[in-house]
Amino acid sequence: MTDGILGKAATMEIPIHGNGEAGQLPEDDGLEQDLQQVMVSGPNLNETSIVSGGYGGSGDGLIPTGKFSYAGWEVWVEPQRCLIYPREAGVRELGPLGSGRHPSHSTTPTGPGDEVARGIAGEKFDIVKKWGINTYKCTKQLLSERFGRGSRTVDLELELQIELLRETKRKYESVLQLGRALTAHLYSLLQTQHALGDAFADLSQKSPELQEEFGYNAETQKLLCKNGETLLGAVNFFVSSINTLVTKTMEDTLMTVKQYEAARLEYDAYRTDLEELSLGPRDAGTRGRLESAQATFQAHRDKYEKLRGDVAIKLKFLEENKIKVMHKQLLLFHNAVSAYFAGNQKQLEQTLQQFNIKLRPPGAEKPSWLEEQ
């Protein structure tokens, strides 16, 4: 009997519309009865392609959950319902087995997981949509400013301070590069003096007639090497402080400046958009768009005003911090270099003690960050 049912389903004609899509399964009561019979007795495995799951009669007449296909139709069997659908169409549910309910219209079963997925997809779409609109408006405003067709908001005093900061940063970066070069040269000089002192000391032992002269020079090179290590420690401290000022303090202020400039561009873009809407005709649709544009403009204006205040405060604190740091570092650099080239070892050591600089012995490991606190 099952063979006859599947043979009937296999020879069933599915209408094809003019656009190439498969038509809906006809509302046939006989088809539902046939499928109910298949699910009770189980399909003939010789004529049915099993996709997943297993089949076989159980003790209570129900079959396990599974899926099989025939005549281009997919059949999903569960203990209490059966879903049938073409491979390229929606799912049609037959309902509980033995209920005799007719197939419903083509629907796609949904669950809590599908609702969550659709909600996440909708949120992402809204984010991308807002980003696209904002990017378009800002790009339009930027091009208008570049070609002299649009107006831009300018705070002359603040813009002058920002430009001065950028110029100061470039000059300090040059000083930092030269300081690192000086450190490298001093280190090479110390290595050479150390090797030369060892060579003099060795020759003083092997040349009795020149032992005294080689000994004097060996002691001189060792003294120069010791003073050079002290000077190198002072220069390293100077370079480290300049590096912190340039790459941390100034860079942090410039990051806030970049946020301020982006907010200024958005503010001008939405200001221009609001002005264009205000000059247009006033009807019901335009009034709603105008109110929305006014609210968006106000939000960007508040953001712009806040960042402008943040930039002004950071520029003020940066200037005060820069003067304090550079006053200390320039005094250190001057005293250390003067004492070194004057050969005043005592003054050189006092300079390091004055600025609380501790020299590490050669080959010593770098202290941990807890020790540096």
Side-chain angles (χ1 to χ4, degrees):
M1 178 178 179
T2 303
D3 297 343
I5 295 172
L6 294 179
K8 176 182 177 183
T11 58
M12 181 182 298
E13 295 185 0
I14 301 175
I16 306 297
H17 298 296
N19 57 4
E21 298 180 353
Q24 294 185 354
L25 186 67
E27 304 289 341
D28 188 359
D29 294 342
L31 175 61
E32 178 180 358
Q33 296 174 3
D34 292 343
L35 287 173
Q36 301 285 0
Q37 183 65 31
V38 168
M39 287 182 285
V40 173
S41 61
N44 188 342
L45 298 181
N46 294 329
E47 297 184 8
T48 305
S49 174
I50 303 296
V51 178
S52 65
Y55 298 90
S58 58
D60 55 359
L62 297 178
I63 62 175
T65 300
K67 181 181 179 182
F68 66 97
S69 61
Y70 65 89
W73 293 83
E74 299 288 341
V75 179
W76 178 260
V77 183
E78 295 181 0
Q80 296 299 325
R81 66 174 183 172
C82 172
L83 304 177
I84 64 171
Y85 55 94
R87 290 191 178 95
E88 298 180 357
V91 178
R92 306 177 72 244
E93 182 174 352
L94 289 179
L97 299 180
S99 64
R101 187 166 59 86
H102 290 281
S104 60
H105 294 289
S106 296
T107 59
T108 301
T110 60
D114 296 333
E115 295 294 337
V116 173
R118 279 199 294 268
I120 295 175
E123 292 178 0
K124 291 183 177 180
F125 176 77
D126 291 339
I127 293 173
V128 173
K129 179 181 178 181
K130 292 179 180 178
W131 173 84
I133 295 174
N134 186 72
T135 303
Y136 166 75
K137 292 180 180 295
C138 292
T139 304
K140 179 182 177 182
Q141 176 66 24
L142 182 61
L143 293 176
S144 298
E145 293 177 3
R146 291 289 177 85
F147 290 103
R149 298 177 181 176
S151 61
R152 64 187 299 263
T153 304
V154 179
D155 188 329
L156 294 179
E157 183 179 357
L158 191 61
E159 294 289 339
L160 182 60
Q161 294 179 6
I162 292 173
E163 186 59 32
L164 182 61
L165 170 61
R166 290 190 171 120
E167 181 65 23
T168 303
K169 184 173 182 289
R170 285 191 291 267
K171 292 180 179 180
Y172 274 63
E173 286 174 343
S174 177
V175 172
L176 178 61
Q177 184 178 3
L178 293 173
R180 287 172 175 169
L182 178 61
T183 301
H185 293 319
L186 282 175
Y187 181 78
S188 299
L189 177 61
L190 291 177
Q191 297 299 316
T192 303
Q193 287 177 338
H194 184 73
L196 189 58
D198 291 343
F200 286 155
D202 183 61
L203 287 172
S204 67
Q205 300 295 328
K206 297 180 180 179
S207 303
E209 65 281 0
L210 296 174
Q211 182 177 6
E212 186 177 354
E213 288 78 2
F214 277 125
Y216 290 154
N217 281 277
E219 291 297 328
T220 301
Q221 293 302 319
K222 288 181 181 179
L223 180 61
L224 290 174
C225 191
K226 181 180 179 180
N227 291 343
E229 290 176 354
T230 307
L231 175 63
L232 183 61
V235 175
N236 277 331
F237 187 78
F238 172 80
V239 171
S240 176
S241 300
I242 298 296
N243 180 68
T244 301
L245 180 64
V246 172
T247 61
K248 299 289 181 63
T249 311
M250 291 185 178
E251 189 63 30
D252 176 71
T253 304
L254 287 176
M255 287 296 297
T256 307
V257 168
K258 291 180 181 179
Q259 297 175 3
Y260 158 74
E261 291 176 341
R264 196 278 309 164
L265 184 63
E266 291 179 350
Y267 165 72
D268 283 337
Y270 284 92
R271 174 181 57 81
T272 303
D273 187 49
L274 179 61
E275 291 174 353
E276 292 177 354
L277 285 175
S278 300
L279 296 176
R282 299 295 181 89
D283 52 20
T286 306
R287 188 176 299 106
R289 292 176 55 192
L290 188 60
E291 292 177 355
S292 176
Q294 180 68 37
T296 306
F297 164 74
Q298 186 62 40
H300 284 282
R301 180 179 180 178
D302 295 341
K303 179 181 178 181
Y304 165 73
E305 295 289 347
K306 179 180 180 301
L307 285 172
R308 183 171 65 175
D310 293 344
V311 169
I313 293 174
K314 284 198 173 186
L315 286 173
K316 180 181 178 181
F317 286 155
L318 173 62
E319 186 65 22
E320 295 176 355
N321 186 43
K322 182 190 70 173
I323 294 175
K324 180 179 178 180
V325 170
M326 291 309 300
H327 175 76
K328 176 181 178 180
Q329 296 304 317
L330 291 174
L331 183 61
L332 164 68
F333 189 81
H334 174 268
N335 293 346
V337 173
S338 299
Y340 173 78
F341 284 102
N344 192 337
Q345 180 182 359
K346 184 178 180 180
Q347 183 182 356
L348 188 58
E349 293 176 352
Q350 289 177 351
T351 300
L352 267 65
Q353 293 176 1
Q354 178 185 356
F355 292 95
N356 196 24
I357 301 174
K358 297 179 180 180
L359 297 179
R360 287 182 294 160
E365 296 182 357
K366 183 178 180 180
S368 65
W369 65 273
L370 286 174
E371 297 173 346
E372 292 177 349
Q373 300 302 317

